[in-house]
Amino acid sequence: MAITSANQLELLQTAEAVAREKMIDPALVIEAMEESLARAAKSRYGSDLDIRVSIDRKTGRATFTRVRTVVEDDMVENDKAELTVEQAKQYLEDPKVGDTIVDEVPPVDMGRIAAQSAKQVILQKVREAERDRQFEEFKDRVGTIINGVVKREEYGNVIVDIGRGEGVLRRNDKIGRESYRNGDRIRCYIKDVRRETRGPQVFLSRTAPEFMAELFKMEVPEIYDGIIEIKAVARDPGSRAKIAVISYDNAIDPVGACVGMRGSRVQAVVNELQGEKIDIIPWNEDAATFLVNALQPAEVTKVVIDEDAERIEVVVPDEQLSLAIGRRGQNVRLASQLTGLDIDILTEEEESKRRQAEFEERTRLFMDTLDLDEFFAQLLVAEGFTSLEEVAYVDIDELLVIDGVDESTAEELQARARDYLDEQNKKALEKAKELGVEESLIEFEGLTPQMLVALGEDGVKTLEDFATCADWELAGGWTTVNGERIKDDGLLEPFDVSLEEAQNMVMTARVKLGWVTIEELEAQAAAEAEAAAAEAEEAEG
């Protein structure tokens, strides 16, 4: 086969045809042809030569040239493609390093093997160009819905024709009961587009929460226009879902707009999702109110939020417990996903028993430590006193409001509480010293003797040890591992030390030791605040 002896215009016609078929730039096909011809010429003239081929974009004529580059005297590595400045003087008047000498060489006729090799180069280049085109086309469509046609099924994964490429709907991204046959039309959410060795992979999903949000955007004009915003979505694909919405126009009800006339809008989404039941919930920035909405249709009588632990405790009537939890825990699980909080559900009876147990425990504390009878101790608990510290250091007027307590009685109560606390502090301080806690830590402001014992038992015995602690090691926190939140217990957590208080104490210790200066901490805080403000501004934009 002799490409060079063929009609020169045939090269251009072939390039145009391939480019049209693969929907890529014809210039890429011509570049592939030039490379394949150059490779064939090297096999004819020698692989050490720098042979280049240029195909005229108008006539199709292929020009073969040999290129030699001028390099420094001691840099010649390939004398067939490089020459020194001195050697170049016979070809150029004033040669300089980097100049090139270009000589045209006779074109070559390709043998069968060379032609086959050239064809492979062209096909490879075309495939690469096609992959790049597909990646560029789909990478900007991540997060949108696309319509496609089912081509085939491979090991449970559905291969979908999405126009100028193929998408993969993996088994775990299909709604459970769905099955497809070749030629079925399908609507999917583009979850991800990645470059891989075998070409760009377009990953589709029908189970992603974002798929539902995009479907509502298509069905509800107010969402598309930004009047209504979808704040959160939680799904149990194919079974049930919850979607939280808010309206920025007081005249428009966000739930009603999403439901539509006689449920037409939500029904269109339900039909697309194979009958998935959808609870549309009004979003509220108050976490407790939002949670009450999220647990619908169950009624909630009380909500207690622990913001530090990102946990929430919900009390429901006894007969509402199964409704609040839902079948196999579905309702509470979806509400948890929607709010981003861990939810504990108690019945009114369970909460009443727990409150009674706490009441009895505090009553026993005051009876044992203040030498009070049961009735008097119960009065203290009923008035809201929960610890000896509160009794010892509260304003005396708060004790005088208790029935039967006069000023002398109040003073006696406080004296007993303080004596007991002083005795406990003395014992704790002695134990801390026995554990080897040094004076540098004992004298540090903010640490009680009981805290010193807890630190000493964990090996934190000097101010230097304390200064190396992380704030979460002291105050505790939560870590997410494989999607599950795991509690990290803090050394000072039993003493109600917050994360902010722990951070301040650690920083104070570092300043005291001279590891950092107050100015450096202030500069760091200012930089963090500026970065947070910029991030918030970018999110709003």
Side-chain angles (χ1 to χ4, degrees), residues 250-279:
N250 293 333
I252 296 177
D253 170 28
V255 175
C258 291
V259 171
M261 187 73 70
R262 296 181 182 173
S264 58
R265 291 174 174 177
V266 71
Q267 194 57 46
V269 178
V270 168
N271 292 341
E272 178 63 43
L273 299 176
Q274 305 296 316
E276 192 170 314
K277 293 181 177 64
I278 302 172
D279 296 335

PDB file of all heavy atoms in Angstrom, residues 250-279:
ATOM      1  N   ASN A 250     -43.383  35.252  50.638  1.00  0.00           N
ATOM      2  CA  ASN A 250     -44.395  34.937  51.652  1.00  0.00           C
ATOM      3  C   ASN A 250     -45.741  34.559  51.046  1.00  0.00           C
ATOM      4  O   ASN A 250     -46.570  33.923  51.709  1.00  0.00           O
ATOM      5  CB  ASN A 250     -44.582  36.126  52.611  1.00  0.00           C
ATOM      6  CG  ASN A 250     -43.337  36.373  53.458  1.00  0.00           C
ATOM      7  OD1 ASN A 250     -42.568  35.449  53.712  1.00  0.00           O
ATOM      8  ND2 ASN A 250     -43.132  37.619  53.875  1.00  0.00           N
ATOM      9  N   ALA A 251     -45.973  34.957  49.807  1.00  0.00           N
ATOM     10  CA  ALA A 251     -47.260  34.667  49.180  1.00  0.00           C
ATOM     11  C   ALA A 251     -47.323  33.250  48.617  1.00  0.00           C
ATOM     12  O   ALA A 251     -48.380  32.801  48.183  1.00  0.00           O
ATOM     13  CB  ALA A 251     -47.529  35.682  48.057  1.00  0.00           C
ATOM     14  N   ILE A 252     -46.181  32.561  48.597  1.00  0.00           N
ATOM     15  CA  ILE A 252     -46.144  31.213  48.004  1.00  0.00           C
ATOM     16  C   ILE A 252     -45.861  30.177  49.087  1.00  0.00           C
ATOM     17  O   ILE A 252     -44.872  30.276  49.815  1.00  0.00           O
ATOM     18  CB  ILE A 252     -45.067  31.135  46.889  1.00  0.00           C
ATOM     19  CG1 ILE A 252     -45.449  32.068  45.740  1.00  0.00           C
ATOM     20  CG2 ILE A 252     -44.913  29.702  46.382  1.00  0.00           C
ATOM     21  CD1 ILE A 252     -44.415  32.121  44.624  1.00  0.00           C
ATOM     22  N   ASP A 253     -46.744  29.192  49.177  1.00  0.00           N
ATOM     23  CA  ASP A 253     -46.561  28.085  50.120  1.00  0.00           C
ATOM     24  C   ASP A 253     -45.628  27.063  49.472  1.00  0.00           C
ATOM     25  O   ASP A 253     -45.971  26.487  48.435  1.00  0.00           O
ATOM     26  CB  ASP A 253     -47.917  27.451  50.424  1.00  0.00           C
ATOM     27  CG  ASP A 253     -47.775  26.142  51.206  1.00  0.00           C
ATOM     28  OD1 ASP A 253     -46.789  26.010  51.943  1.00  0.00           O
ATOM     29  OD2 ASP A 253     -48.642  25.270  51.051  1.00  0.00           O
ATOM     30  N   PRO A 254     -44.441  26.817  50.062  1.00  0.00           N
ATOM     31  CA  PRO A 254     -43.477  25.919  49.403  1.00  0.00           C
ATOM     32  C   PRO A 254     -43.984  24.488  49.283  1.00  0.00           C
ATOM     33  O   PRO A 254     -43.760  23.831  48.265  1.00  0.00           O
ATOM     34  CB  PRO A 254     -42.234  26.003  50.297  1.00  0.00           C
ATOM     35  CG  PRO A 254     -42.744  26.444  51.634  1.00  0.00           C
ATOM     36  CD  PRO A 254     -43.929  27.317  51.346  1.00  0.00           C
ATOM     37  N   VAL A 255     -44.689  24.011  50.317  1.00  0.00           N
ATOM     38  CA  VAL A 255     -45.198  22.634  50.267  1.00  0.00           C
ATOM     39  C   VAL A 255     -46.282  22.511  49.212  1.00  0.00           C
ATOM     40  O   VAL A 255     -46.280  21.588  48.388  1.00  0.00           O
ATOM     41  CB  VAL A 255     -45.722  22.198  51.654  1.00  0.00           C
ATOM     42  CG1 VAL A 255     -46.358  20.817  51.572  1.00  0.00           C
ATOM     43  CG2 VAL A 255     -44.593  22.209  52.677  1.00  0.00           C
ATOM     44  N   GLY A 256     -47.217  23.459  49.203  1.00  0.00           N
ATOM     45  CA  GLY A 256     -48.298  23.426  48.223  1.00  0.00           C
ATOM     46  C   GLY A 256     -47.794  23.526  46.796  1.00  0.00           C
ATOM     47  O   GLY A 256     -48.296  22.842  45.892  1.00  0.00           O
ATOM     48  N   ALA A 257     -46.788  24.364  46.583  1.00  0.00           N
ATOM     49  CA  ALA A 257     -46.236  24.520  45.232  1.00  0.00           C
ATOM     50  C   ALA A 257     -45.593  23.224  44.758  1.00  0.00           C
ATOM     51  O   ALA A 257     -45.678  22.876  43.564  1.00  0.00           O
ATOM     52  CB  ALA A 257     -45.214  25.651  45.216  1.00  0.00           C
ATOM     53  N   CYS A 258     -44.941  22.502  45.654  1.00  0.00           N
ATOM     54  CA  CYS A 258     -44.287  21.244  45.271  1.00  0.00           C
ATOM     55  C   CYS A 258     -45.303  20.122  45.061  1.00  0.00           C
ATOM     56  O   CYS A 258     -45.084  19.232  44.246  1.00  0.00           O
ATOM     57  CB  CYS A 258     -43.261  20.832  46.321  1.00  0.00           C
ATOM     58  SG  CYS A 258     -41.823  21.920  46.394  1.00  0.00           S
ATOM     59  N   VAL A 259     -46.408  20.185  45.807  1.00  0.00           N
ATOM     60  CA  VAL A 259     -47.447  19.165  45.641  1.00  0.00           C
ATOM     61  C   VAL A 259     -48.182  19.386  44.317  1.00  0.00           C
ATOM     62  O   VAL A 259     -48.439  18.437  43.563  1.00  0.00           O
ATOM     63  CB  VAL A 259     -48.436  19.187  46.825  1.00  0.00           C
ATOM     64  CG1 VAL A 259     -49.630  18.286  46.554  1.00  0.00           C
ATOM     65  CG2 VAL A 259     -47.728  18.753  48.100  1.00  0.00           C
ATOM     66  N   GLY A 260     -48.516  20.652  44.020  1.00  0.00           N
ATOM     67  CA  GLY A 260     -49.196  20.964  42.771  1.00  0.00           C
ATOM     68  C   GLY A 260     -50.694  20.739  42.852  1.00  0.00           C
ATOM     69  O   GLY A 260     -51.220  20.180  43.822  1.00  0.00           O
ATOM     70  N   MET A 261     -51.386  21.186  41.808  1.00  0.00           N
ATOM     71  CA  MET A 261     -52.830  21.027  41.749  1.00  0.00           C
ATOM     72  C   MET A 261     -53.203  19.551  41.775  1.00  0.00           C
ATOM     73  O   MET A 261     -52.791  18.779  40.924  1.00  0.00           O
ATOM     74  CB  MET A 261     -53.356  21.683  40.464  1.00  0.00           C
ATOM     75  CG  MET A 261     -54.870  21.730  40.377  1.00  0.00           C
ATOM     76  SD  MET A 261     -55.563  22.967  41.498  1.00  0.00           S
ATOM     77  CE  MET A 261     -55.029  24.476  40.699  1.00  0.00           C
ATOM     78  N   ARG A 262     -53.983  19.165  42.794  1.00  0.00           N
ATOM     79  CA  ARG A 262     -54.397  17.769  42.985  1.00  0.00           C
ATOM     80  C   ARG A 262     -53.197  16.804  42.994  1.00  0.00           C
ATOM     81  O   ARG A 262     -53.307  15.658  42.569  1.00  0.00           O
ATOM     82  CB  ARG A 262     -55.392  17.357  41.903  1.00  0.00           C
ATOM     83  CG  ARG A 262     -56.690  18.133  41.942  1.00  0.00           C
ATOM     84  CD  ARG A 262     -57.626  17.667  40.860  1.00  0.00           C
ATOM     85  NE  ARG A 262     -58.853  18.464  40.876  1.00  0.00           N
ATOM     86  CZ  ARG A 262     -59.820  18.367  39.948  1.00  0.00           C
ATOM     87  NH1 ARG A 262     -59.680  17.496  38.958  1.00  0.00           N
ATOM     88  NH2 ARG A 262     -60.900  19.107  40.024  1.00  0.00           N
ATOM     89  N   GLY A 263     -52.067  17.312  43.463  1.00  0.00           N
ATOM     90  CA  GLY A 263     -50.877  16.456  43.594  1.00  0.00           C
ATOM     91  C   GLY A 263     -50.185  16.146  42.278  1.00  0.00           C
ATOM     92  O   GLY A 263     -49.362  15.220  42.218  1.00  0.00           O
ATOM     93  N   SER A 264     -50.448  16.932  41.238  1.00  0.00           N
ATOM     94  CA  SER A 264     -49.913  16.609  39.903  1.00  0.00           C
ATOM     95  C   SER A 264     -48.388  16.675  39.849  1.00  0.00           C
ATOM     96  O   SER A 264     -47.748  15.833  39.219  1.00  0.00           O
ATOM     97  CB  SER A 264     -50.499  17.561  38.855  1.00  0.00           C
ATOM     98  OG  SER A 264     -50.203  18.913  39.200  1.00  0.00           O
ATOM     99  N   ARG A 265     -47.801  17.677  40.525  1.00  0.00           N
ATOM    100  CA  ARG A 265     -46.346  17.851  40.430  1.00  0.00           C
ATOM    101  C   ARG A 265     -45.611  16.745  41.176  1.00  0.00           C
ATOM    102  O   ARG A 265     -44.674  16.126  40.659  1.00  0.00           O
ATOM    103  CB  ARG A 265     -45.942  19.227  40.972  1.00  0.00           C
ATOM    104  CG  ARG A 265     -46.399  20.380  40.084  1.00  0.00           C
ATOM    105  CD  ARG A 265     -46.105  21.730  40.711  1.00  0.00           C
ATOM    106  NE  ARG A 265     -46.415  22.823  39.794  1.00  0.00           N
ATOM    107  CZ  ARG A 265     -46.313  24.113  40.108  1.00  0.00           C
ATOM    108  NH1 ARG A 265     -45.921  24.466  41.339  1.00  0.00           N
ATOM    109  NH2 ARG A 265     -46.601  25.042  39.225  1.00  0.00           N
ATOM    110  N   VAL A 266     -45.999  16.500  42.420  1.00  0.00           N
ATOM    111  CA  VAL A 266     -45.313  15.470  43.196  1.00  0.00           C
ATOM    112  C   VAL A 266     -45.581  14.092  42.597  1.00  0.00           C
ATOM    113  O   VAL A 266     -44.713  13.212  42.626  1.00  0.00           O
ATOM    114  CB  VAL A 266     -45.719  15.530  44.689  1.00  0.00           C
ATOM    115  CG1 VAL A 266     -47.139  15.052  44.899  1.00  0.00           C
ATOM    116  CG2 VAL A 266     -44.772  14.686  45.527  1.00  0.00           C
ATOM    117  N   GLN A 267     -46.767  13.909  42.007  1.00  0.00           N
ATOM    118  CA  GLN A 267     -47.090  12.601  41.429  1.00  0.00           C
ATOM    119  C   GLN A 267     -46.187  12.292  40.242  1.00  0.00           C
ATOM    120  O   GLN A 267     -45.810  11.135  40.022  1.00  0.00           O
ATOM    121  CB  GLN A 267     -48.559  12.560  40.997  1.00  0.00           C
ATOM    122  CG  GLN A 267     -49.057  11.155  40.694  1.00  0.00           C
ATOM    123  CD  GLN A 267     -48.888  10.194  41.858  1.00  0.00           C
ATOM    124  OE1 GLN A 267     -49.220  10.517  43.004  1.00  0.00           O
ATOM    125  NE2 GLN A 267     -48.356   9.005  41.589  1.00  0.00           N
ATOM    126  N   ALA A 268     -45.815  13.330  39.487  1.00  0.00           N
ATOM    127  CA  ALA A 268     -44.914  13.121  38.356  1.00  0.00           C
ATOM    128  C   ALA A 268     -43.551  12.616  38.830  1.00  0.00           C
ATOM    129  O   ALA A 268     -42.941  11.735  38.213  1.00  0.00           O
ATOM    130  CB  ALA A 268     -44.746  14.425  37.572  1.00  0.00           C
ATOM    131  N   VAL A 269     -43.079  13.151  39.966  1.00  0.00           N
ATOM    132  CA  VAL A 269     -41.807  12.692  40.540  1.00  0.00           C
ATOM    133  C   VAL A 269     -41.958  11.283  41.088  1.00  0.00           C
ATOM    134  O   VAL A 269     -41.089  10.423  40.894  1.00  0.00           O
ATOM    135  CB  VAL A 269     -41.326  13.663  41.647  1.00  0.00           C
ATOM    136  CG1 VAL A 269     -40.040  13.154  42.266  1.00  0.00           C
ATOM    137  CG2 VAL A 269     -41.123  15.069  41.087  1.00  0.00           C
ATOM    138  N   VAL A 270     -43.073  11.018  41.774  1.00  0.00           N
ATOM    139  CA  VAL A 270     -43.324   9.688  42.348  1.00  0.00           C
ATOM    140  C   VAL A 270     -43.337   8.636  41.245  1.00  0.00           C
ATOM    141  O   VAL A 270     -42.749   7.549  41.384  1.00  0.00           O
ATOM    142  CB  VAL A 270     -44.665   9.672  43.122  1.00  0.00           C
ATOM    143  CG1 VAL A 270     -45.078   8.247  43.476  1.00  0.00           C
ATOM    144  CG2 VAL A 270     -44.538  10.502  44.401  1.00  0.00           C
ATOM    145  N   ASN A 271     -43.996   8.934  40.129  1.00  0.00           N
ATOM    146  CA  ASN A 271     -44.066   7.980  39.012  1.00  0.00           C
ATOM    147  C   ASN A 271     -42.679   7.676  38.457  1.00  0.00           C
ATOM    148  O   ASN A 271     -42.365   6.530  38.123  1.00  0.00           O
ATOM    149  CB  ASN A 271     -44.961   8.530  37.908  1.00  0.00           C
ATOM    150  CG  ASN A 271     -46.417   8.602  38.332  1.00  0.00           C
ATOM    151  OD1 ASN A 271     -46.817   7.945  39.293  1.00  0.00           O
ATOM    152  ND2 ASN A 271     -47.207   9.408  37.645  1.00  0.00           N
ATOM    153  N   GLU A 272     -41.829   8.705  38.351  1.00  0.00           N
ATOM    154  CA  GLU A 272     -40.468   8.505  37.832  1.00  0.00           C
ATOM    155  C   GLU A 272     -39.656   7.640  38.782  1.00  0.00           C
ATOM    156  O   GLU A 272     -38.770   6.886  38.361  1.00  0.00           O
ATOM    157  CB  GLU A 272     -39.786   9.862  37.633  1.00  0.00           C
ATOM    158  CG  GLU A 272     -38.347   9.791  37.150  1.00  0.00           C
ATOM    159  CD  GLU A 272     -38.220   9.146  35.774  1.00  0.00           C
ATOM    160  OE1 GLU A 272     -39.022   9.457  34.880  1.00  0.00           O
ATOM    161  OE2 GLU A 272     -37.302   8.313  35.595  1.00  0.00           O
ATOM    162  N   LEU A 273     -39.954   7.720  40.084  1.00  0.00           N
ATOM    163  CA  LEU A 273     -39.185   6.991  41.101  1.00  0.00           C
ATOM    164  C   LEU A 273     -39.869   5.702  41.537  1.00  0.00           C
ATOM    165  O   LEU A 273     -39.662   5.229  42.659  1.00  0.00           O
ATOM    166  CB  LEU A 273     -38.941   7.901  42.318  1.00  0.00           C
ATOM    167  CG  LEU A 273     -38.150   9.180  42.034  1.00  0.00           C
ATOM    168  CD1 LEU A 273     -38.066  10.046  43.276  1.00  0.00           C
ATOM    169  CD2 LEU A 273     -36.761   8.860  41.513  1.00  0.00           C
ATOM    170  N   GLN A 274     -40.677   5.144  40.650  1.00  0.00           N
ATOM    171  CA  GLN A 274     -41.293   3.835  40.891  1.00  0.00           C
ATOM    172  C   GLN A 274     -42.164   3.809  42.149  1.00  0.00           C
ATOM    173  O   GLN A 274     -42.112   2.861  42.941  1.00  0.00           O
ATOM    174  CB  GLN A 274     -40.213   2.752  40.991  1.00  0.00           C
ATOM    175  CG  GLN A 274     -39.281   2.678  39.805  1.00  0.00           C
ATOM    176  CD  GLN A 274     -40.008   2.302  38.527  1.00  0.00           C
ATOM    177  OE1 GLN A 274     -40.832   1.409  38.525  1.00  0.00           O
ATOM    178  NE2 GLN A 274     -39.706   2.993  37.444  1.00  0.00           N
ATOM    179  N   GLY A 275     -42.927   4.875  42.358  1.00  0.00           N
ATOM    180  CA  GLY A 275     -43.879   4.885  43.472  1.00  0.00           C
ATOM    181  C   GLY A 275     -43.294   5.248  44.818  1.00  0.00           C
ATOM    182  O   GLY A 275     -43.931   5.011  45.855  1.00  0.00           O
ATOM    183  N   GLU A 276     -42.098   5.813  44.858  1.00  0.00           N
ATOM    184  CA  GLU A 276     -41.458   6.213  46.125  1.00  0.00           C
ATOM    185  C   GLU A 276     -42.307   7.278  46.830  1.00  0.00           C
ATOM    186  O   GLU A 276     -42.592   8.321  46.250  1.00  0.00           O
ATOM    187  CB  GLU A 276     -40.064   6.765  45.808  1.00  0.00           C
ATOM    188  CG  GLU A 276     -39.166   6.949  47.006  1.00  0.00           C
ATOM    189  CD  GLU A 276     -37.734   7.252  46.568  1.00  0.00           C
ATOM    190  OE1 GLU A 276     -37.209   6.571  45.656  1.00  0.00           O
ATOM    191  OE2 GLU A 276     -37.142   8.195  47.133  1.00  0.00           O
ATOM    192  N   LYS A 277     -42.745   7.007  48.059  1.00  0.00           N
ATOM    193  CA  LYS A 277     -43.582   7.957  48.801  1.00  0.00           C
ATOM    194  C   LYS A 277     -42.711   9.132  49.253  1.00  0.00           C
ATOM    195  O   LYS A 277     -41.621   8.938  49.785  1.00  0.00           O
ATOM    196  CB  LYS A 277     -44.215   7.279  50.017  1.00  0.00           C
ATOM    197  CG  LYS A 277     -45.236   6.211  49.652  1.00  0.00           C
ATOM    198  CD  LYS A 277     -45.844   5.598  50.911  1.00  0.00           C
ATOM    199  CE  LYS A 277     -46.913   4.586  50.553  1.00  0.00           C
ATOM    200  NZ  LYS A 277     -46.375   3.420  49.812  1.00  0.00           N
ATOM    201  N   ILE A 278     -43.219  10.350  49.059  1.00  0.00           N
ATOM    202  CA  ILE A 278     -42.416  11.545  49.342  1.00  0.00           C
ATOM    203  C   ILE A 278     -43.134  12.434  50.362  1.00  0.00           C
ATOM    204  O   ILE A 278     -44.281  12.832  50.149  1.00  0.00           O
ATOM    205  CB  ILE A 278     -42.155  12.352  48.050  1.00  0.00           C
ATOM    206  CG1 ILE A 278     -41.447  11.475  47.011  1.00  0.00           C
ATOM    207  CG2 ILE A 278     -41.333  13.601  48.347  1.00  0.00           C
ATOM    208  CD1 ILE A 278     -41.312  12.123  45.640  1.00  0.00           C
ATOM    209  N   ASP A 279     -42.453  12.728  51.491  1.00  0.00           N
ATOM    210  CA  ASP A 279     -42.944  13.692  52.477  1.00  0.00           C
ATOM    211  C   ASP A 279     -42.297  15.033  52.178  1.00  0.00           C
ATOM    212  O   ASP A 279     -41.061  15.149  52.202  1.00  0.00           O
ATOM    213  CB  ASP A 279     -42.575  13.267  53.904  1.00  0.00           C
ATOM    214  CG  ASP A 279     -43.234  11.954  54.304  1.00  0.00           C
ATOM    215  OD1 ASP A 279     -44.285  11.641  53.730  1.00  0.00           O
ATOM    216  OD2 ASP A 279     -42.685  11.245  55.183  1.00  0.00           O
TER     217      ASP A 279
END
